[in-house]
Amino acid sequence: NVATPSSSSEKVCYELLKLTSRSFAAVIMELVDELQKPIMVFYLVLRALDTIEDDMTISNDVKVPLLKDFHNNLKKTDWTFNGNGPNEKDRVVLTKFDQILSVYHSLKPEYQDIIKKITREMGAGMAKYAEDQDFNLNGVKTIKEYDLYCHYVAGLVGEGLTKLIVAAKFGNPSLKDRLVLSESMGLFLQKTNIIRDYKEDLDDGRTFWPQEIWGKYAKNLSDFEKLENLDSGLFCVSELVLNALGEVKNSLIYLSMVYDHSAFNFCAIPQVMAIATLAEVFENPLVFKKNVKIRKGTTCQLILDARTYKGVLDIFSHYLRVIHHKCPVSDPNYLEISLKCGELEQFL
Ligand SMILES: COc1cccc([C@H]2O[C@H](CC(=O)N[C@@H](CC(=O)O)C(=O)O)C(=O)N(CC(C)(C)C)c3ccc(Cl)cc32)c1OC
């Protein structure tokens, strides 16, 4: 059901959505009308926040207050920002932010409130990391810090979406009281992206792999780029995948509590893409060379198969078996991986 955008600002927002993330935009366009506008606005506001955080041409004394106070822009009607960030695609979300504001102000106050609260918390978290010298120099140290970083950039998104879905009465209200489930929805996606983006982030001079894990396999994170360190690199990826699999159970419980078919699709599709990506990066030397992506044909098949809860369970069951069978006995994580896959497979 492609909504018929009523206002001109809504038309601009749909264009911005398609520009920023073609594949995901299609999923948002399939959402039931009641959720489509609030989630589109939420997605674009998050994109704007992300674009500021990623823009290395903005000095900290400008960036930090910009992030911390970003939620206050939601009270305005004409705010825009001319960043000079790297990619034009994202910058336009800021130069046309007044269009997003216009649609934001047309939302029900309850939806506006949910979006504003998450934006405030996320902006505060991003400002904290922007100011954190140690984080900028040495990246993420402990698994605890890894989870906290992922909470700010992804867990909060899950929380906001859950509150929108429950407010619109398309999900089990108890999802609001079990935010640990929304947290896992975000952490599973973000941890998968962080494992996959090793090379891209390293080339950008950033790293999000927690030292508490990679430090067992190398002295420096960039060591994994060298062929002689390939084995320890693959073992490190195994442990990172094992850590990400720790979010699977909660994510599957979450999906079982989303009633509306279009909201279920919206939540399930990124999760099945993530488990397929984890299986792709697992024991895959190409992770240290480029961004490993699942094939287009696989993506299409996953979208078709993920339309029912049973279909999602079958997809997870398949890729957990793939990971289990790919794990060599020489991998120090072999036993843990087998136990985790076994534990999850019986749950499926
Ligand atoms: C209950 O929680 C969710 C339910 C459904 C979808 C998402 C989640 O899925 C996309 C899916 C998406 O955007 N996929 C990209 C592909 C890619 O990024 O590799 C795409 O299809 O372009 C995603 O990745 N993120 C970004 C974060 C992970 C940081 C939250 C994201 C950003 C903004 C929003 Cl509103 C939603 C999401 C959820 O968020 C947890």
Side-chain angles (χ1 to χ4, degrees):
N1 66 329
V2 181
T4 45
S6 47
S7 73
S8 68
S9 321
E10 267 183 58
K11 286 190 189 74
V12 170
C13 284
Y14 283 114
E15 288 314 309
L16 287 174
L17 192 61
K18 277 179 257 180
L19 191 71
T20 48
S21 166
R22 209 176 14 77
S23 55
F24 193 50
V27 183
I28 292 180
M29 304 284 272
E30 289 296 312
L31 275 168
V32 60
D33 281 2
E34 180 63 19
L35 275 175
Q36 195 173 95
K37 240 169 59 173
I39 288 182
M40 172 178 71
V41 169
F42 188 40
Y43 184 89
L44 291 173
V45 169
L46 293 171
R47 247 355 243 248
L49 200 52
D50 212 38
T51 305
I52 291 172
E53 188 208 27
D54 275 353
D55 186 339
M56 291 307 151
T57 66
I58 309 175
S59 67
N60 253 11
D61 53 334
V62 172
K63 184 183 282 194
V64 170
L66 208 52
L67 291 170
K68 213 171 272 181
D69 303 332
F70 192 79
H71 64 286
N72 288 322
N73 297 330
L74 293 176
K75 295 174 190 139
K76 302 169 187 166
T77 55
D78 59 353
W79 189 84
T80 60
F81 185 78
N82 292 319
N84 31 20
N87 42 358
E88 166 59 32
K89 255 188 12 169
D90 284 334
R91 226 177 26 233
V92 71
V93 171
L94 287 164
T95 52
K96 296 201 170 177
F97 200 76
D98 53 338
Q99 300 297 312
I100 299 168
L101 281 171
S102 162
V103 182
Y104 170 81
H105 289 298
S106 74
L107 298 177
K108 289 176 183 168
E110 186 180 13
Y111 297 155
Q112 289 184 23
D113 210 43
I114 291 165
I115 293 169
K116 183 142 51 76
K117 279 205 177 85
I118 295 298
T119 305
R120 182 171 40 74
E121 280 188 67
M122 191 181 291
M126 287 176 167
K128 193 168 71 73
Y129 284 108
E131 283 177 313
D132 184 338
Q133 293 305 330
D134 183 42
F135 174 77
N136 290 307
L137 272 178
N138 308 311
V140 180
K141 276 206 177 43
T142 63
I143 292 175
K144 193 164 174 299
E145 285 167 4
Y146 182 49
D147 286 353
L148 182 63
Y149 172 76
C150 291
H151 164 72
Y152 277 114
V153 298
L156 285 174
V157 178
E159 178 180 334
L161 287 166
T162 300
K163 289 178 172 171
L164 290 172
I165 291 170
V166 169
K169 305 218 185 325
F170 287 116
N172 187 322
S174 63
L175 273 174
K176 253 190 0 238
D177 315 319
R178 299 175 65 181
L179 289 179
V180 67
L181 303 180
S182 316
E183 185 74 6
S184 289
M185 289 289 279
L187 265 57
F188 188 59
L189 299 185
Q190 187 62 18
K191 288 180 171 182
T192 300
N193 288 344
I194 284 174
I195 300 169
R196 177 197 67 191
D197 296 349
Y198 167 85
K199 177 66 178 150
E200 190 178 284
D201 289 335
L202 207 67
D203 293 349
D204 286 351
R206 309 188 298 183
T207 67
F208 299 101
W209 287 18
Q211 186 168 5
E212 188 180 338
I213 290 182
W214 68 259
K216 297 184 201 170
Y217 303 94
K219 271 198 302 305
N220 304 299
L221 193 52
S222 53
D223 293 352
F224 295 137
E225 289 192 290
K226 297 179 197 114
L227 202 57
E228 72 258 24
N229 300 322
L230 178 60
D231 284 351
S232 47
L234 292 177
F235 294 161
C236 182
V237 168
S238 294
E239 189 165 344
L240 289 166
V241 168
L242 176 65
N243 172 276
L245 291 179
E247 310 298 345
V248 166
K249 196 168 184 178
N250 280 349
S251 294
L252 293 174
I253 293 171
Y254 182 97
L255 290 173
S256 72
M257 299 166 79
V258 178
Y259 299 151
D260 170 74
H261 181 67
S262 71
F264 175 81
N265 270 345
F266 170 74
C267 294
I269 288 171
Q271 299 295 317
V272 298
M273 298 296 170
I275 188 67
T277 302
L278 279 187
E280 192 62 32
V281 297
F282 192 72
E283 296 295 333
N284 186 341
L286 291 176
V287 164
F288 305 108
K289 292 268 174 287
K290 61 169 188 158
N291 254 29
V292 168
K293 293 251 186 217
I294 49 178
R295 289 183 21 257
K296 193 93 186 89
T298 308
T299 304
C300 300
Q301 194 56 51
L302 286 170
I303 291 173
L304 289 175
D305 294 344
R307 281 181 298 184
T308 63
Y309 188 64
K310 166 96 176 55
V312 169
L313 293 184
D314 290 345
I315 290 167
F316 271 82
S317 187
H318 167 74
Y319 284 111
L320 282 166
R321 272 200 304 277
V322 167
I323 289 169
H324 197 169
H325 295 156
K326 265 174 101 174
C327 192
V329 285
S330 56
D331 189 318
N333 304 291
Y334 178 76
L335 186 62
E336 297 259 306
I337 294 266
S338 306
L339 289 172
K340 176 52 76 179
C341 290
E343 174 210 327
L344 288 171
E345 269 154 28
Q346 77 183 4
F347 171 79
L348 291 174

